[in-house]
Amino acid sequence: MSLTPIENSCMLEAIEEAKKGLAEGGIPIGSVLEHNGKIIGRGHNRRVQKGSAILHGEMDALENAGRLAASVYRECTLYTTLSPCPMCSGAILLYQIPKVIIGENKTFMGDEKLLKSRNVETLVLQDHRCIEMMEQFIKEKPKLWNEDIGV
């Protein structure tokens, strides 16, 4: 599958966000929210850094985008380095974001079936950079990973 230049650029930015999270001592999951070719929100998992119960990468990107009109969300694409969990999938559905591009779902399968059942276009890249980053993190910090996914 081939990404457009904008899609490729946005996924690279999501990967950079994931690297930031890792460098901060957190979980390496990054996300960006794109509207009409421009990134309007970016974030990474900051549960550890902020002592948060809900600050996953997707939630951080949405938070950093600020309050937006419903019509804007309906024209966005959300990029995330890892398959969205049920909480993040719920936010995608709540704001009616029509398209999600996922770096990988090999290390964690989120609620993609729910997204697809609600007509959200999903594209899974199985990007080796995303897979390798998560595999290394899970190997090095399994307890922290299990906490993040509710195990």
Side-chain angles (χ1 to χ4, degrees):
M1 72 194 79
S2 182
L3 298 178
T4 68
I6 290 170
E7 290 172 335
N8 188 56
S9 175
C10 288
M11 183 50 70
L12 288 173
E13 290 296 320
I15 292 169
E16 287 304 310
E17 285 293 326
K19 290 177 182 177
K20 284 181 191 176
L22 185 61
E24 294 170 357
I27 298 164
I29 303 167
S31 184
V32 298
L33 184 65
E34 173 262 322
H35 180 256
N36 291 334
K38 180 182 173 198
I39 293 174
I40 61 171
R42 62 180 62 236
H44 51 275
N45 186 306
R46 294 201 283 174
R47 290 186 69 245
V48 173
Q49 299 93 311
K50 298 284 188 177
S52 171
I54 62 169
L55 209 47
H56 284 188
E58 300 90 338
M59 302 298 273
D60 195 37
L62 290 167
E63 178 70 15
N64 290 329
R67 291 179 60 195
L68 301 171
S71 60
V72 174
Y73 291 114
R74 290 192 295 265
E75 297 174 342
C76 286
T77 298
L78 183 78
Y79 296 78
T80 180
T81 58
L82 187 64
S83 184
C85 75
M87 175 181 66
C88 295
S89 294
I92 291 163
L93 295 175
L94 176 68
Y95 293 109
Q96 299 177 29
I97 296 169
K99 185 173 182 180
V100 179
I101 298 182
I102 300 165
E104 66 104 349
N105 63 9
K106 181 181 175 205
T107 61
F108 176 78
M109 174 58 79
D111 219 336
E112 293 174 36
K113 286 182 182 178
L114 176 62
L115 293 174
K116 290 175 185 175
S117 78
R118 299 280 293 274
N119 299 315
V120 175
E121 181 183 351
T122 59
L123 176 62
V124 181
L125 304 177
Q126 300 302 17
D127 186 290
H128 70 93
R129 296 163 295 189
C130 298
I131 295 169
E132 290 166 9
M133 192 167 16
M134 284 307 303
E135 285 179 339
Q136 185 69 29
F137 177 80
I138 292 166
K139 180 181 174 186
E140 292 175 1
K141 298 186 177 178
K143 184 177 177 184
L144 184 56
W145 172 240
N146 286 337
E147 174 194 320
D148 195 64
I149 60 172
V151 174

